[in-house]
Coordinates of all heavy atoms in Angstrom, one line a residue:
D61 N -9.7 70.6 -167.6 CA -9.1 69.5 -168.5 C -7.9 68.9 -167.9 O -7.6 67.7 -167.9 CB -8.8 70.1 -169.9 CG -10.1 70.3 -170.7 OD1 -11.2 69.9 -170.3 OD2 -10.0 71.0 -171.7
S62 N -7.0 69.8 -167.3 CA -5.8 69.4 -166.7 C -6.1 68.5 -165.5 O -5.5 67.4 -165.3 CB -5.0 70.6 -166.2 OG -3.8 70.2 -165.5
V63 N -7.1 68.9 -164.6 CA -7.5 68.1 -163.5 C -8.0 66.7 -163.9 O -7.7 65.7 -163.4 CB -8.5 68.8 -162.6 CG1 -9.1 67.9 -161.6 CG2 -7.9 70.0 -162.0
D64 N -8.9 66.7 -165.0 CA -9.4 65.5 -165.5 C -8.3 64.5 -166.0 O -8.4 63.3 -165.8 CB -10.4 65.8 -166.7 CG -11.7 66.3 -166.3 OD1 -12.1 66.1 -165.1 OD2 -12.4 66.9 -167.1
N65 N -7.3 65.1 -166.6 CA -6.2 64.2 -167.0 C -5.5 63.6 -165.8 O -5.0 62.4 -165.8 CB -5.2 65.0 -167.8 CG -5.7 65.4 -169.2 OD1 -6.6 64.7 -169.7 ND2 -5.1 66.4 -169.8
Q66 N -5.3 64.4 -164.7 CA -4.7 63.9 -163.5 C -5.6 62.8 -162.9 O -5.1 61.7 -162.4 CB -4.6 65.0 -162.5 CG -3.5 66.0 -162.9 CD -3.5 67.2 -161.9 OE1 -3.4 67.0 -160.7 NE2 -3.7 68.4 -162.4
I67 N -6.9 63.0 -162.9 CA -7.9 62.0 -162.4 C -7.7 60.7 -163.2 O -7.7 59.6 -162.7 CB -9.3 62.5 -162.4 CG1 -9.5 63.6 -161.4 CG2 -10.3 61.4 -162.1 CD1 -10.8 64.3 -161.5
L68 N -7.7 60.8 -164.5 CA -7.6 59.7 -165.4 C -6.3 58.9 -165.1 O -6.3 57.6 -165.0 CB -7.6 60.1 -166.9 CG -7.4 59.0 -167.9 CD1 -8.6 58.0 -167.8 CD2 -7.4 59.6 -169.3
E69 N -5.2 59.6 -164.9 CA -3.9 59.0 -164.7 C -4.0 58.2 -163.3 O -3.5 57.1 -163.2 CB -2.8 60.0 -164.6 CG -1.4 59.5 -164.4 CD -0.3 60.5 -164.4 OE1 -0.6 61.7 -164.8 OE2 0.8 60.2 -164.0
L70 N -4.6 58.8 -162.3 CA -4.7 58.2 -161.0 C -5.6 57.0 -161.0 O -5.4 56.0 -160.3 CB -5.2 59.3 -160.0 CG -4.1 60.3 -159.6 CD1 -4.8 61.4 -158.8 CD2 -2.9 59.7 -158.9
L71 N -6.7 57.1 -161.8 CA -7.6 55.9 -161.9 C -6.9 54.7 -162.5 O -7.1 53.6 -162.0 CB -8.8 56.3 -162.8 CG -9.9 57.2 -162.2 CD1 -10.9 57.6 -163.2 CD2 -10.6 56.4 -161.1
N72 N -6.1 55.0 -163.5 CA -5.3 53.9 -164.1 C -4.2 53.3 -163.1 O -4.0 52.1 -163.1 CB -4.7 54.3 -165.4 CG -5.7 54.3 -166.5 OD1 -6.4 53.3 -166.8 ND2 -5.9 55.4 -167.2
K73 N -3.7 54.3 -162.3 CA -2.7 53.8 -161.3 C -3.4 53.0 -160.3 O -2.9 51.9 -159.9 CB -2.1 55.1 -160.7 CG -1.0 54.8 -159.7 CD -0.3 56.0 -159.1 CE 0.8 55.7 -158.1 NZ 1.4 56.9 -157.6
R74 N -4.6 53.4 -159.9 CA -5.4 52.6 -158.9 C -5.7 51.2 -159.5 O -5.7 50.2 -158.8 CB -6.7 53.4 -158.6 CG -7.5 52.8 -157.4 CD -8.8 53.5 -157.2 NE -9.4 53.1 -156.0 CZ -10.1 52.0 -155.8 NH1 -10.3 51.1 -156.8 NH2 -10.7 51.7 -154.6
A75 N -6.1 51.2 -160.8 CA -6.5 50.0 -161.5 C -5.3 49.0 -161.5 O -5.5 47.8 -161.3 CB -7.0 50.3 -162.9
N76 N -4.1 49.5 -161.7 CA -3.0 48.6 -161.7 C -2.7 48.0 -160.3 O -2.3 46.8 -160.1 CB -1.7 49.3 -162.2 CG -1.7 49.5 -163.7 OD1 -2.0 48.5 -164.4 ND2 -1.3 50.6 -164.2
L77 N -2.9 48.8 -159.2 CA -2.8 48.3 -157.9 C -3.9 47.2 -157.6 O -3.6 46.2 -156.9 CB -2.9 49.5 -156.9 CG -1.8 50.5 -156.9 CD1 -2.1 51.7 -156.1 CD2 -0.5 49.8 -156.4
V78 N -5.1 47.5 -158.1 CA -6.2 46.5 -157.9 C -5.8 45.2 -158.6 O -6.1 44.1 -158.0 CB -7.5 47.1 -158.5 CG1 -8.5 46.0 -158.6 CG2 -8.0 48.2 -157.6
L79 N -5.2 45.2 -159.8 CA -4.8 44.0 -160.5 C -3.8 43.3 -159.7 O -3.8 42.0 -159.6 CB -4.3 44.4 -161.9 CG -5.3 44.8 -162.9 CD1 -4.7 45.3 -164.1 CD2 -6.3 43.6 -163.2
D80 N -2.9 44.0 -159.0 CA -1.9 43.3 -158.2 C -2.5 42.6 -157.0 O -2.2 41.5 -156.6 CB -0.8 44.4 -157.7 CG 0.1 44.9 -158.8 OD1 0.2 44.2 -159.8 OD2 0.7 46.0 -158.6
V81 N -3.5 43.3 -156.4 CA -4.3 42.7 -155.3 C -5.0 41.5 -155.7 O -5.0 40.5 -155.0 CB -5.3 43.8 -154.7 CG1 -6.2 43.1 -153.7 CG2 -4.5 44.9 -154.0
G82 N -5.6 41.6 -156.9 CA -6.3 40.4 -157.5 C -5.4 39.2 -157.7 O -5.9 38.1 -157.4
K83 N -4.2 39.4 -158.1 CA -3.3 38.3 -158.3 C -2.9 37.6 -156.9 O -2.9 36.4 -156.8 CB -2.0 38.8 -158.9 CG -2.2 39.2 -160.4 CD -0.9 39.8 -160.9 CE -1.1 40.3 -162.4 NZ 0.1 41.1 -162.9
L84 N -2.8 38.5 -155.9 CA -2.5 37.9 -154.6 C -3.7 37.2 -154.0 O -3.5 36.1 -153.4 CB -2.1 39.0 -153.6 CG -0.7 39.7 -153.9 CD1 -0.5 40.9 -153.0 CD2 0.4 38.7 -153.7
K85 N -4.9 37.7 -154.2 CA -6.1 37.0 -153.8 C -6.3 35.7 -154.5 O -6.6 34.7 -153.8 CB -7.3 37.9 -154.1 CG -7.5 39.1 -153.2 CD -8.8 39.8 -153.6 CE -9.1 41.1 -152.8 NZ -10.3 41.8 -153.2
Q86 N -6.0 35.7 -155.8 CA -6.1 34.4 -156.5 C -5.1 33.4 -156.0 O -5.5 32.2 -155.9 CB -5.9 34.7 -158.0 CG -6.3 33.5 -158.9 CD -6.4 34.0 -160.4 OE1 -5.8 34.9 -160.8 NE2 -7.1 33.2 -161.2
A87 N -3.9 33.8 -155.7 CA -2.9 32.9 -155.3 C -3.2 32.3 -153.9 O -2.9 31.1 -153.6 CB -1.5 33.6 -155.2
E88 N -3.9 33.1 -153.1 CA -4.3 32.6 -151.7 C -5.7 32.1 -151.6 O -6.2 31.8 -150.5 CB -4.1 33.8 -150.7 CG -2.6 34.3 -150.6 CD -1.7 33.3 -150.0 OE1 -2.2 32.5 -149.2 OE2 -0.5 33.3 -150.4

């Protein structure tokens, strides 16, 4: 359960980075 919580936290961290990439792609 503890590992799953870490995975969930990292997935959301990754998702936020993807959203940042998406904004840059859209701008360019």
Side-chain angles (χ1 to χ4, degrees):
D61 288 346
S62 176
V63 171
D64 284 340
N65 288 339
Q66 293 174 53
I67 292 171
L68 179 61
E69 183 178 348
L70 289 172
L71 283 173
N72 282 308
K73 184 177 181 180
R74 188 186 193 281
N76 281 320
L77 292 170
V78 167
L79 287 172
D80 290 340
V81 170
K83 290 173 184 175
L84 292 173
K85 285 180 180 177
Q86 192 168 21
E88 298 293 330

